[in-house]
Amino acid sequence: MLRDDLQLIRKRLEAAENIAIFAHLMPDGDSVGSVLALGWALEDAGKKVQYIAQDPIPERYQFLFQFIPGGKNPFIPEPVGADCYVTPDISSADRAGAFFQEHPEIPVDICIDHHVSNQGVGKLNWIVPESPAACEVLNAILPELGLSFSKRISSALLCGIITDTNSFSNSNVCASSLRAAADLIDKGADIFYINHLAYKEHTIQEMDFWRVGMTNMKIDDGLAWSVITKAEREAMGIITTDDPGFVNYMGNTSGVKVSVLFIELDELTTKISWRSLPGYNVAEVAVCFDGGGHKAASGATVRGQRMTDLIPAVLARTKEMITRSSEQK
Ligand code: 5GP
Ligand code: MN
């Protein structure tokens, strides 16, 4: 990746008039933050922007909509008549939803990302795998793209950095993340407010999710794992499919190297999340199940198998990685 690539991305954006920016499936704070920040910066530069998300935007990130005149959710499921397609925080085109599979003639023009598993989703790519958040990548390159900051852009970027770093506590957080955050605070982002709304605050339903997750949790030789079935989600009245941070919490148990959470979405679809301590690469396990992500945080969505049949295979692969990595230490 050359610095020149940024100039090509800048030229491509300057040439475009109607830009579609995609959130990923089950959007997280980094996805929502990077889409809104880039979109707002491009709108400030006079572009028409379409905000695309196939899945609903979780309520905890909707405080960012207050920065939009009228406060309305700007996301729509599919773009209409765009001339440039951008995917921030997206490691493979299918993570944007069905759109690029259903329209093979439409390419991803620009991908800005931080996933180690990203092979180059776009015609033009800016991928910084050592960066803990796509929002941090965007924060660093916005000036080189000829785009400016504002209070709302800074707020969206800080939302992504806070949520993807678990509020500056992950192993990949470095001085640059803290400098980026400090700059964003200087530019108007309210760190307490964003941290509270996007990261810390939880609903009673989310507490229920944790309670069931803890009840089902098993710990075995450095591996903690748990399951939330569809029936359990329905009994709790949970309609969203995301994990409100439970896999991170399990991973913080003493002696645990890797945590895995299985969420049954339907009879033949399971969402898997992995978290790990340094020295244990869960991305390599996630890739075996057609997923991806980062060394310390990865995910996969497995279709066509019952969760009960899938679990032993996933645990075996994960344990094999733990044993091999422990031996290398
Ligand atoms: P989470 O466990 O929070 O859903 O995701 C952790 C990391 O794994 C994120 O960086 C996310 O991009 C990646 N990830 C989650 N689910 C999937 C998936 O289904 N496919 C791929 N390729 N990556 C995923
Ligand atoms: Mn991210």
Side-chain angles (χ1 to χ4, degrees), residues 24 28-31 34 89-90 113-115 131-135 160 164 294:
H24 59 63
D28 60 12
D30 195 31
S31 175
S34 55
D89 198 37
I90 283 183
D113 191 25
H114 70 126
H115 289 94
S131 186
C135 279
D164 252 25
H294 316 279

Side-chain angles (χ1 to χ4, degrees), residues 6 76 104 120-121 125 138 149 199 213 218 225 232 250 271 283 289-291 300 308 316 318:
L6 273 186
I76 53 172
V121 169
N125 297 286
L138 210 47
F149 290 86
Y199 182 65
K218 302 208 169 37
W225 64 280
E232 284 166 335
M250 264 200 296
K271 171 78 211 304
F289 297 92
D290 285 332
T308 43
T318 309

